[in-house]
Amino acid sequence: MVSSNGRLSDPEEDIHSVVERRLHRHAGESALRLHTARSRNDQSATDTKLWMMTSLRRAQTEVINLITVLLERAQVDINFIAPGYTHLQRAQPIRWSHFLMSYAWMFRDDVCRLEEQIGRLSSCPLGSGAIAGCALPIDRQKLAESLGFKQVTPNSMYAVGSRDHIVEFLNWSSLCGLHLSRLAEDLIIYSSQEFGIVQHSDRFSTGSSLMPQKRNPDGLELVRGAAGLLLGDSFSFSCILKGLPSTYNKDLQSDKEILFRSYDRLLDCLKVTAGSVATMKVNARKAESLLEPGMLATDLAHWLVKRGVPFRRAHHLVGTALRRAAALGVDLQNLPHQEYSEICLKFGSHEELQKIFSWEASVEQYTSEGGTAKEAVLAQMQKLQQWLQNHKNVEA
């Protein structure tokens, strides 16, 4: 029976005894054999692992869905050029797709880490008893296989006392949450009026209760905040474990509360992030308007290197040009050619210099594997698409 507040009203001290008593009503004396060769300790550990073996696959599916959304957006936005930032300062022009792919690869690594964890998870504790093992002639390997495990735990004390698999998941979820938070932060910044590159859909943003002009990226802000809670859950459970003596202690009962809470929170964050990325609008014209000639200072240095100037000297010469431009109140593109010639003749003619001041030409220089040139980004997409296809084939 269930009481009015949703709690079991049975008088027994644990769910195992409740199941046994209720079964006894229907099966009679046979129900009293239910606990044979079992302990609450190994049953609880086994049940938790069984739940995780199923649920972690669902989490993996949600991460893969987010990767797919990022990849699809990168394919659509391949021709958009935007400022790339380091230290939140304008650095170099990049393809917007290159930015999106940087997060797709982070989440790819998250999937790989989770896959490794699922492999370690498939070790069955059942048959370990309370601490010393089982004195009855059971086939633990056959029992494990019947439940879907690949192997059995090798030591009974380890089996009932270890919660490393939960620690691993909580650590993994906090790292995945950290990646989600960083993506959320970037998209929040890029949606501000100061940047104006991204506009979030009404589904994942809200208005202000007071200021009619506001459009707040609430969904991504909640994701960013949830990352701190995921980190907190991970740390708090490790704190519970750090002082425990070996095998089972009642402190371990808190494992499922933290596990279920983190799992639900992470899945919500993955769904909100995927929805936000899928429905956001990117203002390519605004992104390009934020580019400025100073961001091509590295291109000028590379130009000198190609003309035989050592890079360190080239870096110094471009720095001199930047200081001279600042003194004259102009940018690098509008610095008089005579000024470049006085700094170093290797800068070449006015026509040669002007060819450098092209956003498209700038990004197309970076053809190395993993670079931001169009062919390099397309190669990344193809590689990630192949990984996704291989992963689907393995699952099938």
Side-chain angles (χ1 to χ4, degrees), residues 89-376:
Q89 306 295 316
R90 292 175 187 171
Q92 291 178 276
I94 59 165
R95 291 194 179 276
W96 176 256
S97 296
H98 194 51
F99 158 73
L100 294 175
M101 289 298 293
S102 72
Y103 280 102
W105 288 113
M106 285 187 198
F107 294 118
R108 191 287 306 263
D109 285 352
D110 287 333
V111 171
C112 294
R113 291 187 191 97
L114 192 58
E115 190 70 43
E116 293 169 2
Q117 185 183 153
I118 291 171
R120 285 189 292 274
L121 188 62
S122 190
S123 181
C124 183
L126 201 59
S128 296
I131 180 173
C134 181
L136 298 172
I138 63 171
D139 186 339
R140 286 193 65 206
Q141 191 64 50
K142 185 176 181 180
L143 181 62
E145 290 172 0
S146 70
L147 292 173
F149 290 95
K150 293 180 180 178
Q151 58 192 8
V152 300
T153 49
N155 179 286
S156 59
M157 294 176 70
Y158 157 74
V160 299
S162 175
R163 293 298 184 271
D164 289 358
H165 49 288
I166 296 178
V167 173
E168 271 197 299
F169 173 74
L170 294 175
N171 288 344
W172 175 86
S173 64
S174 68
L175 180 57
C176 186
L178 185 152
H179 294 155
L180 290 168
S181 180
R182 292 188 69 182
L183 174 57
E185 173 68 359
D186 275 338
L187 295 179
I188 290 168
I189 289 172
Y190 293 154
S191 69
S192 67
Q193 291 178 327
E194 283 69 21
F195 286 78
I197 298 174
V198 169
Q199 180 182 347
H200 297 295
S201 72
D202 290 345
R203 287 177 58 195
F204 296 96
S205 60
T206 63
S208 167
S209 62
L210 176 65
M211 298 166 282
Q213 82 282 8
K214 292 286 297 297
R215 176 52 58 180
N216 302 321
D218 285 10
L220 291 174
E221 289 177 342
L222 291 170
V223 169
R224 187 176 58 186
L229 299 173
L230 291 169
L231 284 165
D233 280 346
S234 175
F235 181 69
S236 65
F237 188 61
S238 292
C239 288
I240 290 171
L241 296 180
K242 75 173 184 61
L244 296 185
S246 62
T247 73
Y248 186 80
N249 297 270
K250 202 65 172 180
D251 314 50
L252 296 176
Q253 185 165 294
S254 61
D255 61 356
K256 285 166 283 298
E257 175 189 352
I258 297 174
L259 172 64
F260 297 157
R261 183 173 65 210
S262 287
Y263 175 82
D264 290 342
R265 179 171 286 133
L266 180 64
L267 258 64
D268 286 344
C269 289
L270 287 165
K271 292 172 183 177
V272 168
T273 304
S276 296
V277 173
T279 59
M280 70 184 183
K281 294 180 180 178
V282 180
N283 188 334
R285 185 174 298 177
K286 177 63 175 179
E288 189 165 328
S289 74
L290 296 175
L291 298 166
E292 53 90 17
M295 298 179 70
L296 299 178
T298 305
D299 298 63
L300 279 174
H302 286 159
W303 168 248
L304 292 175
V305 169
K306 291 173 184 176
R307 295 171 69 86
V309 179
F311 178 78
R312 186 51 56 200
R313 177 165 170 71
H315 187 280
H316 173 75
L317 291 170
V318 174
T320 301
L322 282 164
R323 288 190 294 274
R324 186 58 182 154
L328 294 176
V330 297
D331 57 40
L332 285 177
Q333 187 172 11
N334 293 304
L335 182 65
H337 181 256
Q338 181 62 32
E339 298 290 341
Y340 279 110
S341 298
E342 290 178 4
I343 295 169
C344 180
L345 292 174
K346 291 285 187 178
F347 276 116
S349 68
H350 174 73
E351 289 74 19
E352 288 173 319
L353 275 174
Q354 287 306 306
K355 288 180 181 178
I356 295 172
F357 294 99
S358 161
W359 313 127
E360 186 74 25
S362 176
V363 297
E364 286 305 291
Q365 294 178 95
Y366 298 97
T367 57
S368 60
E369 186 172 352
T372 195
K374 188 172 183 176
E375 67 176 69

